[in-house]
C-alpha cells in the first residue's frame, strides 16, 4: 500500500437533502451530513470530527440517532444496493456496530429511519414502489415485522416511534397518516383516516399518544390516539410575490442540479413537485420538532413558528415567530431569506434551536432571545458561516496567505481561511461563476462569469471588480506561479494576459474541442492544456506556439498536471486511465479500476500524487507511480470531484465537488521524508483598502471624534447644570429638614409631656383595675368553692350508690352460685336413687333375661343410649345457664367501669364549665356594650323613619295636585293640536307652489347650461383659428429664413466671383475658378427650372396668405361684435337672476317668520303646562290671546300667498323673455357663468316643513 496518508481536517458544506440531517449529540456537539461523511461539530470549540461513509458508497439517504445518544444509523446505497450502517458514537473514533445489508424482501433504498425509545429496535421505511415498513431487532439483525404501507406509489416522508412505547409507530406521507402497533409478530394499523386525505409532510410526538402533523397547505393537526383533536392553519403574513418573481426564482433554482448519486432523498423534491402547481403561496410544513412547552414548525420560506400548550386546554397557540435574516451580501437580498426549513432540532437543554434549509445553510437561535423579542419576530443566526448551495465549479489557493477561493453555480464567490477554518469574504453576483484563480499574493482574483471575465481586488471587506474582459463562459482560468500572467479559456482558445498593463499578449489556438484544464510549469515559461478533443498541448509562451502535442481522440481529458521539473505531463480522462506523457508520446497508462478520474494534482516536492474520482473518492499514491494497485482510497464527497489543489507547502489537500462541499485534508508521509517544508516567512497579514474607503473611514472617525468632543462638552455642561441644580436642591432640602427637625423636636417635647400625663393616668387606672379584679376574683372563688362543695357532695352520693350496686351484684353472684350447687346436688341424688332402683329391677329381671338374652341386650343398649342422651342434654342445659351467668357477671363489671369513666368525664366537664362561665361573663360584658350601641342606633332609625313618613305624605299630596294639573293641561294640548293641524293644512298649498317654482328655476338652469355649451363650441372654433394663424406664422418664418440663406449664398457667390475677376489675365486659372464656382453653386442641371418654380410658389404663398389674413380680420370683427352682444345679454340676465334671488330670499324669510310663529304657538302650549291650578284666573287672559293669535296670523299668511303669486307671474314673464332671446341668431351666454343652486335651500325648506 501507498505510504501517502490524507486525513480529513475540516469541511465547509452541508447536504440538506438527507432526511433528518441535523441533531444534537450533546449540548455542544451537533451531527450533520457533509459530502460522504457525517460531521461531529463542536459549536463552542469549533472542531470537527468525521464519521466516514461506507466504502464504495454512492451517498447517504437518511440519518437517525438513538434516544440515548449512543448509536447513529446511516442509510446508504453501496454498489447500487441499500445498506444501513449503525455506528457507536460513544467510542473514539466512532466504530461500526452493525451493518444491515442482507434483506429477504425487495428494497431499492431506505428513505426514513427511527430508533425505539430503548434503542433496541430500528424502524426503516423503503421507497416506492415497495413502500415496506420494516421493524428490526437490529442487534441480532432480526426482522420482527414487515408491512406494506402504501400500494399507490405515494411517497412516504417520515416514520417514528412513540417516545414511551416500543410497539407504537407513526407513518406519514402523501395522503397517509397511519398509527401501527406491533403485536403478535405483526404491525397492525390502529387508526382510521377520516375526511379528505392530506399531503402530510412531517410529524412529531408531543405526548405518549398525541401527535402533531403538518401538511403542504400550511395546516397543523393534533391527533390523540388516532382521533383529530385540534386543527389550525398557518397564515402567510407577507404578501405573495407576483408570478414573474416566482418564475425567476424557479428558473434560478433549476440551474442547481445535483447528480443522481447525491440526490438521496425523494422527500423534498417530491414535496415541492406535489404542491408547486397549486400551492405556491401556501406555507408548507417541512419540519416539526417538539420541546417541553410545545413544538416548533417550519411555516413557509424563511419562517419558523413556536407553538405553546395552553394551560387549561389540550390545544396550542402561536407564541413566537422566528425568521431567517436577509443576507446583505446577496445579489437579491429580498429573496435571500426565502429558503425552506427542512429540519429542526432542539438541544438537550432546549436552550438552542438549530435549523437546516433547502439552500444547504445551518442556522441557530437561543431560545431566550425569542422570549425577549415580544411582538416582533426573532431572527436566526448562522451556526457557522454561509455555505455553498450549488456545485462548486472553481477552486484556487495562493502562496502568501492561507486563503482558499471558491466559486459556484449559486452565483457566489467565497474566500475561506484554511488555517482558522473560517469564511473571510463572501459575495453573490447576478451571473454564474464557472472558474476562479487566486493571485499568489492573495490580493487579486480572476473569475470567469457567464457573461464576462473579471479581474477583482480582494479588499478588507469587499470583492471589487477593476477590469472586465469580454470572455463569455470562461470554464478555466489560472494565474501563473509568479503572478505576472494569467490565462483564461474561451471555448477552444486560451487567452494570456499580463497583470501589469492588463493586456492580452497572446491567444493560443489549436484545440478543436473545449479546453477542460490548463496548468503552468514551475518557471511560467510553458502552459499545458487538455481538452475534450483528446489533445494535450504544451505551449511556449515566448513564441505562442506548440512545443509538444499528444492527441488521442478516443479519450476526453478532464484534467492535466505537470511534474515539478516540467518533463512529464499527467493526464486523466474518460478512458479510466492515468497517462504519463513525455515528448509528445504516452510513456505508460495506469488503470483507474472501473472509475473515472476527474482531477489530478502532484505535490511540489514531486513525491505525492492525488487523483479525484467521479464517485467522490480521492486516491493518494506515491510517485513514481506503482504498477500494481497501490494507493490509499478515502471517502470524501457525494458527487464527482470537480477541483483539487495542494497548498504551496504541500501540507494541505483541498477538494471540491458537485455536492457543494469543500474539504481540507492534512497530508503526511508515513516514512516522513521531505514533505514538511519549513516556511522561511510567515503568512502575510496585509490587506487591500481603497483610498476612498480610507478617506470615508477617516472622515467618519473625524466626525465621530468631533461628535465625542461635542458630547463631552455637552456632558460637562449638563453635569455642571446638574451640580448647580442638585446643590440648590440640597440646600433647599437641608433647610427644609432643619425646619422639620425643629418642628419634630417641639412636637417630641409636647408628646413627652403628654406621655407622662398618660403614664400617671394609666398607673391610677391599673391600680383601680387591680383592686376591682381582686374583688371579683374573691367573689368568684367563693362561688366556685360553693359549687365545688355541691359537686363533691354529689360525687360522694354517686360513689356510695356505686358501692351499694357493687355489693348487690356480688350478693346476686353468690346467690346464683349457691342455687347452682344445690340444683347439682339434687340432680345427683335423684339420679343415684333412680340408678339404685334400676339396679334392683335389673337383678329381679336377670333370670328372665337369661332366657331371652339377645332381646334384653338390645333393650339395654337402647336404654343406655337414651340415658346418655338425656345426661348430655341436661349437662349442656346447665352449662349454658352457667355461661349466661358468667356473661351477666362480666357485663355488670363492664357497667361499673363505664360508671367510673362517666365519673371522670363529669369531673372534666365541671372544670370546662367553670372555664366557660368565665368566658361567657367576658362575652356578656361585651354584648351589653353592643346592646347599648344598638339601642342608640334603633332610636335614631326610628326618628329617621318618622321623618321619612312625613316627607312621603307631603310628596303624595304633591303628586295628587300634579295629576290634577296634568289632566287640565291635557285638555289644553288637545285644543292646541287641533289648531296646529289646521295651520299645517293652510301651509301645504304654499309649499306646493314653492316646489313648482323651484322646478321652473331648474329648467331655466338647464337652458343656461345649453348656452354654456354653445359658448364653449365657439371658443373651440377660435382656438382652431389661432392654431392656423400660428402655422402660417411658422411658415412665414421658414420662408424668411430661406430668403436670408439665399441672400447669404448670393453674397458668397459675389465674393467668389470677385475673386475670380482677379485672374482675368490668366485664362487657364480663370477657367478653373469658373468651373469650381459652377461645381460649388450649381448642383444640378435643372437649377434654373427650380428657381422659376420657387418664384411661382412664393407668389401662390403670398396670395393665399393675403386671403387668410382677410378672413382672419373678418372673423375677429365678428367675434368682437358677438362678444359685445353676449356681454349685454349676460348683464341683463344676471340682473334678472339677482332680482329673482332677492325675491326667493324674501320668500325664505317669510317662511322662516311663519315657522317662528308656529314655534311660538308650540312654546305657548308648553308654557300652559306649567300653570298651577290655583292660578286659573291668571291663565284665562292667555287663553284669549291664543284664540286671537291664529286669526291675526291667517291674515299675514294670505298676504304672503299674494306675494308668492306675484313673484310666480314675474318668473313666467322672465321665462317668456328668455325664449324670445333664444330665437335671436347669435345669442349665447358667456362661458363659466351659472345661477346659484337652490338644492340646499330646497332641502332646508323640506326639513323645516316636516
Amino acid at each position: 500500500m501507498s505510504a501517502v496518508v490524507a486525513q480529513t481536517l475540516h469541511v465547509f458544506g452541508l447536504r440538506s437533502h438527507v432526511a433528518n440531517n441535523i441533531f444534537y449529540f450533546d449540548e455542544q456537539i451537533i451531527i450533520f451530513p457533509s459530502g460522504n461523511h457525517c460531521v461531529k461539530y463542536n459549536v463552542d470549540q469549533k472542531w470537527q470530527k468525521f464519521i466516514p461513509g461506507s466504502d464504495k458508497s454512492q451517498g447517504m439517504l437518511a440519518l437517525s440517532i438513538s434516544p440515548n445518544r449512543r448509536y447513529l444509523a446511516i442509510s446508504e446505497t453501496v454498489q447500487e444496493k441499500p445498506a444501513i450502517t449503525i455506528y457507536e458514537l460513544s467510542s473514539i473514533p466512532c466504530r461500526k456496530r452493525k451493518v444491515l445489508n442482507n434483506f429477504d424482501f425487495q428494497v431499492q433504498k431506505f428513505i426514513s429511519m427511527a430508533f425505539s425509545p430503548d434503542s433496541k429496535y430500528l424502524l426503516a421505511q423503503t421507497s416506492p414502489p415497495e413502500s415496506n415498513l420494516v421493524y428490526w431487532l437490529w442487534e441480532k439483525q432480526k426482522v420482527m415485522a414487515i408491512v406494506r404501507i402504501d400500494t399507490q406509489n405515494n411517497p412516504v416522508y417520515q416514520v417514528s416511534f412513540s417516545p414511551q412505547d416500543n410497539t407504537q409507530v407513526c407513518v406519514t406521507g402523501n395522503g397517509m397518516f397511519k398509527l401501527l402497533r406491533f403485536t403478535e409478530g405483526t404491525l397492525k394499523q390502529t387508526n382510521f383516516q377520516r375526511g379528505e386525505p392530506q399531503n402530510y409532510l412531517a410529524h412529531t410526538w408531543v405526548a405518549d399518544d398525541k401527535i402533531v402533523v403538518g401538511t403542504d397547505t400550511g395546516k397543523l393537526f393534533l391527533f390523540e390516539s388516532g382521533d383529530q383533536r385540534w386543527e389550525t392553519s398557518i397564515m402567510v403574513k407577507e404578501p405573495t410575490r407576483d408570478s414573474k418573481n416566482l418564475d425567476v426564482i424557479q428558473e434560478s433554482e433549476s440551474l442547481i442540479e445535483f447528480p443522481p448519486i447525491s440526490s438521496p432523498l425523494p422527500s423534498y423534491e417530491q414535496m415541492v413537485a406535489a404542491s408547486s402547481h397549486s400551492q405556491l403561496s401556501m406555507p408548507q410544513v417541512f419540519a416539526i420538532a417538539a420541546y417541553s412547552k410545545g413544538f416548533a414548525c417550519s411555516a413557509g420560506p424563511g419562517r419558523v413558528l413556536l407553538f405553546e400548550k395552553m394551560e387549561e386546554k389540550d390545544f396550542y397557540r402561536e407564541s413566537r415567530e422566528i425568521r431567517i435574516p436577509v443576507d446583505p451580501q446577496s445579489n437579491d437580498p429580498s429573496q435571500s431569506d426565502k429558503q425552506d426549513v427542512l429540519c429542526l432540532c432542539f438541544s438537550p437543554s432546549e436552550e438552542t434551536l438549530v435549523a437546516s434549509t433547502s439552500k444547504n445553510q445551518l442556522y441557530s437561535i437561543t431560545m431566550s432571545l425569542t422570549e425577549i423579542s415580544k411582538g416582533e419576530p426573532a431572527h436566526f443566526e448562522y451556526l457557522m458561516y454561509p455555505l455553498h448551495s450549488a456545485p462548486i465549479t472553481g477552486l484556487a489557493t495562493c502562496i502568501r496567505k492561507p486563503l482558499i477561493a471558491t466559486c459556484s453555480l449559486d452565483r457566489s464567490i467565497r474566500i475561506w481561511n484554511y488555517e482558522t477554518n473560517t469564511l473571510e469574504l463572501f459575495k453573490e453576483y447576478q451571473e454564474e461563476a464557472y472558474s476562479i484563480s487566486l493571485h499568489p499574493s492573495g490580493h487579486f482574483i480572476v473569475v470567469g462569469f457567464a457573461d464576462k471575465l473579471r479581474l477583482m481586488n480582494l479588499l478588507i471587506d469587499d470583492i471589487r471588480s477593476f477590469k472586465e474582459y469580454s470572455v463569455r463562459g470562461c470554464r478555466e482560468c489560472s494565474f501563473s506561479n509568479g503572478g505576472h500572467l494569467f490565462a483564461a479559456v474561451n471555448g477552444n482558445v486560451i487567452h494570456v494576459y499580463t497583470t501589469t498593463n492588463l493586456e492580452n499578449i497572446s491567444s493560443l489556438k489549436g484545440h478543436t474541442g473545449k479546453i477542460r484544464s490548463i496548468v503552468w510549469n514551475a518557471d511560467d515559461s510553458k502552459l499545458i492544456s487538455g481538452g475534450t478533443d483528446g489533445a494535450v498541448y504544451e505551449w511556449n509562451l515566448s513564441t505562442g506556439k506548440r512545443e509538444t502535442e499528444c492527441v488521442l481522440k478516443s479519450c476526453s481529458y478532464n484534467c492535466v498536471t505537470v511534474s515539478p521539473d516540467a518533463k512529464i505531463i499527467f493526464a486523466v480522462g474518460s478512458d479510466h486511465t492515468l497517462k504519463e506523457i513525455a515528448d509528445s508520446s504516452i510513456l505508460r497508462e495506469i488503470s483507474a479500476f472501473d472509475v473515472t478520474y476527474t482531477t489530478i494534482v502532484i505535490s511540489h516536492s514531486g513525491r505525492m500524487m492525488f487523483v479525484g474520482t467521479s464517485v467522490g473518492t480521492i486516491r493518494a499514491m506515491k510517485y513514481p507511480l506503482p504498477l500494481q494497485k497501490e494507493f490509499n482510497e478515502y471517502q470524501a464527497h457525494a458527487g464527482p470531484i470537480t477541483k483539487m489543489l495542494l497548498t504551496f507547502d504541500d501540507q494541505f489537500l483541498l477538494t471540491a465537488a458537485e455536492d457543494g462541499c469543500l474539504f481540507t485534508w492534512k497530508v503526511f508521509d508515513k516514512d516522513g521524508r521531505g514533505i514538511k517544508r519549513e516556511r522561511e516567512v510567515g503568512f502575510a497579514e496585509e490587506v487591500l483598502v481603497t483610498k476612498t474607503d480610507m478617506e470615508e473611514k477617516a472622515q467618519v472617525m473625524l466626525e465621530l471624534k468631533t461628535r465625542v468632543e461635542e458630547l463631552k462638552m455637552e456632558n460637562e455642561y449638563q453635569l455642571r447644570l446638574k451640580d448647580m441644580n442638585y446643590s440648590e436642591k440640597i440646600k433647599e432640602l437641608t433647610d427644609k429638614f432643619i425646619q422639620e427637625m425643629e418642628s419634630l423636636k417641639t412636637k417630641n417635647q409636647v408628646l413627652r409631656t403628654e406621655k407622662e400625663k398618660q403614664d400617671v393616668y394609666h398607673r391610677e387606672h391599673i391600680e383601680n383595675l387591680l383592686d376591682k379584679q381582686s374583688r371579683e376574683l374573691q367573689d368568684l372563688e367563693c362561688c366556685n368553692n360553693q359549687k365545688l362543695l355541691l359537686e363533691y357532695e354529689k360525687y360522694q352520693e354517686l360513689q356510695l350508690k356505686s358501692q351499694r350496686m357493687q355489693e348487690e351484684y356480688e350478693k346476686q353472684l353468690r346467690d346464683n352460685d349457691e342455687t347452682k350447687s344445690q340444683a347439682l346436688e339434687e340432680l345427683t341424688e335423684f339420679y343415684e336413687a333412680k340408678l339404685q332402683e334400676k339396679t334392683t329391677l335389673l337383678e329381679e329381671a336377670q333370670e328372665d333375661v337369661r332366657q331371652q338374652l339377645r332381646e334384653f341386650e338390645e333393650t339395654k343398649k337402647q336404654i343406655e343410649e337414651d340415658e346418655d342422651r338425656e345426661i348430655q342434654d341436661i349437662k349442656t342445659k346447665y352449662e349454658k345457664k352457667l355461661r349466661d351467668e358468667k356473661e351477666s357477671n362480666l357485663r355488670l363489671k363492664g357497667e361499673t367501669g363505664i360508671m367510673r369513666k362517666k365519673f371522670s368525664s363529669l369531673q372534666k366537664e365541671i372544670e370546662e364549665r367553670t372555664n366557660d362561665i368565665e368566658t361567657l361573663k367576658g362575652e356578656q360584658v361585651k354584648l351589653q356594650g353592643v346592646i347599648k350601641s344598638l339601642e342608640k342606633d334603633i332610636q335614631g332609625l326610628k326618628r329617621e323613619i318618622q321623618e321619612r313618613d312625613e316627607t312621603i305624605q307631603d310628596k303624595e299630596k304633591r303628586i295628587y295636585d300634579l295629576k290634577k294639573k296634568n289632566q287640565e293641561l291635557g285638555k289644553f294640548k288637545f285644543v292646541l293640536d287641533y289648531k296646529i293641524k289646521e295651520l299645517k293644512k293652510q301651509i301645504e298649498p304654499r309649499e306646493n307652489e314653492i316646489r313648482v317654482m323651484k322646478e321652473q328655476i331648474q329648467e331655466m338652469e338647464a337652458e343656461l347650461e345649453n348656452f354654456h355649451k354653445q359658448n364653449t363650441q365657439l371658443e373651440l372654433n377660435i382656438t382652431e383659428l389661432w392654431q392656423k394663424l400660428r402655422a402660417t406664422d411658422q411658415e412665414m418664418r421658414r420662408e424668411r429664413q430661406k430668403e436670408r440663406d439665399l441672400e447669404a449664398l448670393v453674397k458668397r457667390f459675389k465674393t467668389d466671383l470677385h475673386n475670380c475677376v482677379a485672374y482675368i489675365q490668366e485664362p487657364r486659372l480663370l477657367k478653373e475658378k469658373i468651373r469650381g464656382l459652377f461645381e460649388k453653386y450649381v448642383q444640378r442641371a435643372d437649377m434654373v427650372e427650380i428657381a422659376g418654380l420657387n418664384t411661382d410658389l412664393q407668389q401662390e404663398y403670398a396670395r393665399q396668405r393675403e386671403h387668410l389674413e382677410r378672413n382672419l380680420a373678418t372673423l375677429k370683427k365678428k367675434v368682437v361684435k358677438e362678444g359685445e352682444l353676449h356681454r349685454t345679454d349676460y348683464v341683463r340676465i344676471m340682473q334678472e337672476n339677482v332680482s329673482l334671488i332677492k325675491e326667493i330670499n324674501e320668500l325664505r324669510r317669510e317662511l322662516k317668520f311663519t315657522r317662528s310663529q308656529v314655534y311660538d304657538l308650540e312654546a305657548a302650549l308648553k308654557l300652559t303646562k306649567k300653570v298651577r291650578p290655583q292660578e286659573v284666573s291668571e291663565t284665562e287672559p292667555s287663553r284669549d290671546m291664543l284664540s286671537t293669535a291664529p286669526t291675526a296670523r291667517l291674515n299675514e299668511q294670505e298676504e304672503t300667498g299674494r306675494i308668492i303669486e306675484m313673484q310666480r307671474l314675474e318668473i313666467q314673464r322672465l321665462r317668456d323673455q328668455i325664449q324670445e332671446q333664444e330665437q335671436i341668431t347669435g345669442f349665447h351666454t358667456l362661458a363659466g357663468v351659472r345661477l346659484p343652486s337652490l338644492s340646499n335651500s330646497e332641502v332646508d325648506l323640506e326639513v323645516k316643513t316636516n
Side-chain angles (χ1 to χ4, degrees), residues 953-989:
Q953 289 175 359
D954 294 337
K955 287 187 177 180
E956 284 178 351
K957 289 178 183 177
R958 179 71 174 160
I959 288 163
Y960 178 72
D961 296 338
L962 290 172
K963 281 181 180 178
K964 283 183 179 179
K965 289 179 185 178
N966 198 7
Q967 288 175 359
E968 293 174 358
L969 291 170
K971 294 175 184 177
F972 286 122
K973 182 185 176 185
F974 179 74
V975 174
L976 292 170
D977 287 339
Y978 178 73
K979 289 181 179 179
I980 288 164
K981 285 177 183 177
E982 288 180 349
L983 289 170
K984 283 183 177 177
K985 287 178 182 177
Q986 293 174 2
I987 290 167
E988 281 177 2

Side-chain angles (χ1 to χ4, degrees), residues 1124-1134 1221 1227-1228:
E1124 289 174 356
L1125 289 171
H1126 293 168
R1127 195 173 293 107
T1128 55
D1129 292 335
Y1130 168 74
V1131 170
R1132 184 174 55 76
I1133 290 166
M1134 281 298 295
Q1221 291 294 330
F1227 175 80
H1228 297 288

Side-chain angles (χ1 to χ4, degrees), residues 812-1006:
Q812 286 178 3
L813 285 170
R814 284 195 298 273
D815 293 339
N816 287 330
D817 290 335
E818 288 174 0
T819 55
K820 185 171 71 172
S821 60
Q822 284 177 3
L824 282 169
E825 286 175 0
E826 288 173 357
L827 285 169
T828 50
E829 286 174 359
F830 171 72
Y831 283 110
E832 282 175 358
K834 197 172 183 180
L835 188 60
Q836 286 175 2
E837 289 175 0
K838 294 291 182 183
T839 52
T840 56
L841 289 169
L842 188 61
E843 287 173 357
E844 290 174 356
Q846 273 179 357
E847 290 178 359
D848 297 329
V849 170
R850 286 189 192 102
Q851 295 176 1
Q852 297 177 351
L853 183 60
R854 290 177 182 176
E855 295 177 2
F856 284 111
E857 283 179 357
E858 289 294 329
T859 55
K860 184 183 176 182
K861 284 179 183 178
Q862 290 176 1
I863 291 164
E864 284 179 355
E865 287 176 358
D866 292 336
E867 291 299 326
D868 288 336
R869 197 178 293 114
E870 287 178 3
I871 290 164
Q872 190 67 30
D873 292 336
I874 292 164
K875 188 178 179 182
T876 54
K877 182 179 178 183
Y878 284 101
E879 282 179 354
K880 187 177 180 182
K881 281 185 179 181
L882 182 64
R883 194 163 51 252
D884 292 337
E885 292 296 332
K886 283 182 179 178
E887 286 177 357
S888 62
N889 192 8
L890 288 169
R891 190 167 59 253
L892 290 167
K893 284 182 180 178
E895 287 176 357
T896 56
I898 289 164
M899 294 299 289
R900 284 175 186 165
K901 287 180 181 177
K902 282 184 178 179
F903 179 71
S904 61
S905 64
L906 284 168
Q907 279 185 336
K908 289 179 181 177
E909 284 180 2
I910 288 163
E911 291 175 357
E912 289 175 357
R913 291 291 170 82
T914 54
N915 294 327
D916 291 340
I917 287 162
E918 290 177 358
T919 53
L920 287 169
K921 283 183 179 178
E923 289 179 358
Q924 186 180 2
V925 174
K926 291 178 182 177
L927 289 169
Q928 284 176 355
V930 172
I931 287 162
K932 288 178 182 177
S933 62
L934 290 172
E935 286 175 352
K936 290 178 182 177
D937 293 338
I938 288 163
Q939 290 174 359
L941 290 168
K942 283 180 179 177
R943 284 195 299 271
E944 192 174 348
I945 288 163
Q946 191 175 358
E947 290 173 358
R948 289 193 178 181
D949 288 336
E950 293 173 357
T951 55
I952 286 165
Q953 289 175 359
D954 294 337
K955 287 187 177 180
E956 284 178 351
K957 289 178 183 177
R958 179 71 174 160
I959 288 163
Y960 178 72
D961 296 338
L962 290 172
K963 281 181 180 178
K964 283 183 179 179
K965 289 179 185 178
N966 198 7
Q967 288 175 359
E968 293 174 358
L969 291 170
K971 294 175 184 177
F972 286 122
K973 182 185 176 185
F974 179 74
V975 174
L976 292 170
D977 287 339
Y978 178 73
K979 289 181 179 179
I980 288 164
K981 285 177 183 177
E982 288 180 349
L983 289 170
K984 283 183 177 177
K985 287 178 182 177
Q986 293 174 2
I987 290 167
E988 281 177 2
R990 302 294 177 85
E991 288 177 348
N992 293 329
E993 290 177 0
I994 290 166
R995 196 176 296 112
V996 170
M997 292 175 74
K998 284 179 182 175
E999 290 175 358
Q1000 292 173 359
I1001 290 165
Q1002 286 178 356
E1003 291 174 359
M1004 292 171 70
E1005 285 182 350

